[in-house]
Amino acid sequence: MATSIIRVDDERAGAEIAYGEEDCYRQSIELLEELGFPKGVLPLKDLQECGRVRQTGFVWMKLKAPYEHFFVATNTRVCYAKEVTAYVDKFRMKKMSGIKSKQMFLWVPISEMSIEDPTSNKIMFKTPMGIGKSFPLTAFMTDEEKHKYLQENAIEPN
């Protein structure tokens, strides 16, 4: 069986790249909005470089240092490595690397995040083994997004 080796340079060929915290933050928020994800789902800090290859859907985000974030609404701790990568499509990030979630006493890699049905108000996270867990979209929305979402859908806040 033949094995193909993909060089990192090839995977990133033709990429749109942003440098610096401000430009990277703006690019990452634009990407999340374009894909249909809430802005708070990837709360990455100290971004140094962000890139996207539109032809393949490959994206990456480099941070100054690994970063941990606690999502209060889901009671979940998530660790982001110095580099987070994924292949993206509308409502889906797959083949993700650099993200782990603490479940009980174990750090579990997250390999996919998706919104199967935008009307369901649920976002699903999966491990490389295909085991998944879903949460309400509102758990990852910024206050501004949540307020707008609740108004548009005539839902009373908790």
Side-chain angles (χ1 to χ4, degrees):
M1 184 166 143
T3 304
S4 63
I5 298 173
I6 299 173
R7 291 186 22 228
V8 171
D9 295 344
D10 296 339
E11 192 170 50
R12 298 173 192 219
E16 301 166 12
I17 304 173
Y19 298 96
E21 193 168 347
E22 211 173 282
D23 287 342
C24 287
Y25 177 76
R26 186 173 38 257
Q27 184 172 324
S28 65
I29 293 299
E30 287 171 4
L31 175 69
L32 290 171
E33 287 176 336
E34 182 183 324
L35 298 175
F37 288 105
K39 294 178 190 175
V41 77
L42 286 178
L44 302 176
K45 300 219 182 216
D46 297 327
L47 289 167
Q48 299 287 294
E49 177 182 308
C50 294
R52 180 178 186 183
V53 181
R54 288 191 185 271
Q55 297 87 334
T56 63
F58 182 70
V59 296
W60 73 90
M61 296 171 196
K62 290 184 181 181
L63 293 74
K64 276 186 188 175
Y67 169 70
E68 276 190 30
H69 182 80
F70 184 74
F71 289 98
V72 175
T74 62
N75 196 32
T76 307
R77 181 166 302 283
V78 178
C79 180
Y80 301 94
K82 281 184 79 171
E83 184 172 29
V84 173
T85 65
Y87 284 88
V88 300
D89 246 335
K90 187 73 171 171
F91 301 120
R92 182 176 311 278
M93 286 191 183
K94 56 188 176 185
K95 296 183 183 178
M96 296 171 71
S97 71
I99 302 176
K100 297 183 288 186
S101 172
K102 193 163 194 177
Q103 301 297 316
M104 300 290 254
F105 301 107
L106 301 172
W107 284 100
V108 179
I110 302 299
S111 62
E112 186 174 326
M113 135 173 117
S114 62
I115 300 170
E116 298 300 325
D117 176 9
T119 62
S120 73
N121 185 32
K122 296 282 185 188
I123 184 169
M124 171 70 80
F125 297 90
K126 291 184 184 175
T127 68
M129 295 173 284
I131 299 169
K133 190 170 186 178
S134 65
F135 296 99
L137 277 174
T138 53
F140 303 97
M141 290 180 179
T142 62
D143 290 340
E144 180 184 315
E145 283 178 304
K146 194 180 294 185
H147 181 72
K148 183 180 176 186
Y149 176 83
L150 295 174
Q151 278 186 329
E152 288 174 356
N153 294 292
I155 299 171
E156 291 296 317
N158 296 348

